[in-house]
Amino acid sequence: MNRIAIWSLSASLLVPALASAQQPLDLQMPAQAKPGQCYARVLVAATYRTETVPVIIRDAHESVQVSEPVFKTEVKRFQVSDAYKNYAVTPPTFRTEQQKIVVRPAHERLRASPAVIGTRPVTVVIREPRLVWRPGSKGSEVRRIDAATGEVFCLVEEPAKTAVIQREVQITPAQVSRESVRAIEETIERRILVTPPSVREEYVKADTRDIRVQTLVEPAREVRTKVEPRTGTMQRQIEVTPERYEWVPVVCVDTAEGKHSIQAVQRALAARKLYNGPIDGLIGSKTKQALAAFQQANGLPGQGNLTVATARALGL
């Protein structure tokens, strides 16, 4: 059980706390408490004594020794290639001779000269002469004889209508000239067969190889030997007093005097390089850690609580 209960016993709270009927049995207040005192319920570690006892440090077992297998080496002949028939081919022989071939025959190349075109003025009839009826009589402006007669029309001949245009005319006609082109020849080398190829059958014997072969003469063996157990001694801890809780007087922290006492404790712990927090008279996590380290190093109970015995050990 790791819980720590801290009780501040003042004159006004002492009697109700001791008279409480609902307090658990493991949290009963110390009977010797006086008004103004504070106690902390701390865990007192168990104590042990050491005795020497025999132990087996190595079990009985078997030791095994083995021998390597023994081989005999001999040379054996193995066939690595079967016999077979091979065919030797004699290639053909050729002679070469030069030969001319026509790669492009003789031919004619035609060249065309276009016609020469010029321009000249030409009169063209755009309307033929015609006979048309026109109002009035020829040579007179009289259009109407009197009111009783109708309008007078005369048949008139109108001349043709012409226009002058620039017309393109051929001066010289188009012509075609002919040019003879010689044939192109190329000389090649021609291979002419002299002797044809031939095939000759050959018999190839089987191929053998001598190989060193190992034969097992004696197999590997094992020899087992019994090994006795080995004993020794060891130190064993036997519990003398069991772990328990005790009420330990502590410095009351809820008074002005208690705050000054805590500040003095913080200075003493800081002087021993156990505390590096503020000197504020409050038991915080850093103060508890420093107190626990000091109590453990000096064999004091408290588990981080400021007990009277711890304060005395700090010289306060």
Side-chain angles (χ1 to χ4, degrees):
M1 185 174 181
N2 235 354
R3 292 174 299 172
I4 298 175
I6 300 178
W7 298 84
S8 174
L9 304 179
S10 63
S12 61
L13 298 177
L14 178 62
V15 175
L18 292 175
S20 176
Q22 297 178 356
Q23 189 72 16
L25 293 178
D26 61 343
L27 294 179
Q28 290 296 324
M29 300 300 296
Q32 71 274 17
K34 296 180 180 180
Q37 291 182 335
C38 296
Y39 285 81
R41 188 169 179 269
V42 299
L43 179 65
V44 179
T47 60
Y48 297 87
R49 62 181 174 84
T50 303
E51 64 178 19
T52 302
V53 295
V55 292
I56 297 176
I57 59 177
R58 188 182 68 188
D59 289 339
H61 61 280
E62 284 186 337
S63 173
V64 179
Q65 294 181 342
V66 297
S67 62
E68 296 294 331
V70 179
F71 295 92
K72 179 183 70 174
T73 303
E74 58 183 346
V75 178
K76 290 186 177 181
R77 179 164 296 177
F78 294 91
Q79 183 173 314
V80 295
S81 176
D82 291 338
Y84 62 94
K85 288 182 180 181
N86 188 29
Y87 294 92
V89 178
T90 302
T93 60
F94 296 88
R95 63 179 175 84
T96 59
E97 62 179 25
Q98 292 186 346
Q99 181 180 354
K100 288 186 178 182
I101 59 172
V102 177
V103 296
R104 190 179 68 185
H107 60 281
E108 283 187 337
R109 181 176 295 148
L110 302 179
R111 297 184 183 276
S113 299
V116 178
I117 305 298
T119 59
R120 66 179 179 181
V122 177
T123 301
V124 295
V125 176
I126 59 175
R127 192 183 68 192
E128 297 292 333
R130 61 179 181 169
L131 295 174
V132 294
W133 289 98
R134 297 295 182 201
S137 60
K138 185 176 181 182
S140 174
E141 295 298 327
V142 178
R143 299 293 180 92
R144 186 182 295 272
I145 298 175
D146 52 32
T149 62
E151 191 174 1
V152 177
F153 287 87
C154 298
L155 183 62
V156 181
E157 182 181 0
E158 288 186 353
K161 189 175 183 180
T162 62
V164 178
I165 63 172
Q166 297 293 326
R167 187 169 67 182
E168 292 184 348
V169 295
Q170 177 178 285
I171 298 174
T172 58
Q175 297 179 354
V176 176
S177 62
R178 296 176 180 272
E179 179 185 354
S180 296
V181 180
R182 292 194 305 175
I184 297 177
E185 297 180 344
E186 185 174 329
T187 302
I188 63 172
E189 286 191 351
R190 179 182 172 191
R191 298 175 68 199
I192 301 174
L193 181 65
V194 177
T195 57
S198 62
V199 179
R200 184 179 70 258
E201 186 177 86
E202 296 178 349
Y203 180 76
V204 181
K205 295 182 180 180
D207 188 13
T208 59
R209 180 181 173 188
D210 292 339
I211 302 176
R212 297 171 65 87
V213 178
Q214 290 185 330
T215 305
L216 181 64
V217 176
E218 184 178 342
R221 298 180 182 277
E222 65 176 45
V223 178
R224 293 182 175 271
T225 304
K226 186 177 180 180
V227 180
E228 296 296 330
R230 181 185 297 175
T231 60
T233 59
M234 66 174 293
Q235 301 295 318
R236 186 171 66 178
Q237 289 187 332
I238 300 176
E239 185 180 61
V240 177
T241 58
E243 182 182 88
R244 67 189 184 280
Y245 285 95
E246 289 186 357
W247 290 103
V248 177
V250 297
V251 177
C252 294
V253 298
D254 56 353
T255 63
E257 182 181 355
K259 184 174 183 180
H260 292 309
S261 299
I262 295 170
Q263 289 176 337
V265 168
Q266 288 173 334
R267 293 188 186 94
L269 292 171
R272 291 169 172 79
K273 308 296 183 182
L274 296 175
Y275 178 71
N276 60 355
I279 309 299
D280 53 5
L282 301 175
I283 298 183
S285 59
K286 288 188 175 181
T287 305
K288 279 183 160 295
Q289 292 174 1
L291 283 170
F294 178 78
Q295 290 165 344
Q296 185 177 2
N298 293 271
L300 298 172
Q303 296 179 323
N305 295 297
L306 180 54
T307 65
V308 176
T310 303
R312 289 173 181 170
L314 289 170
L316 305 176

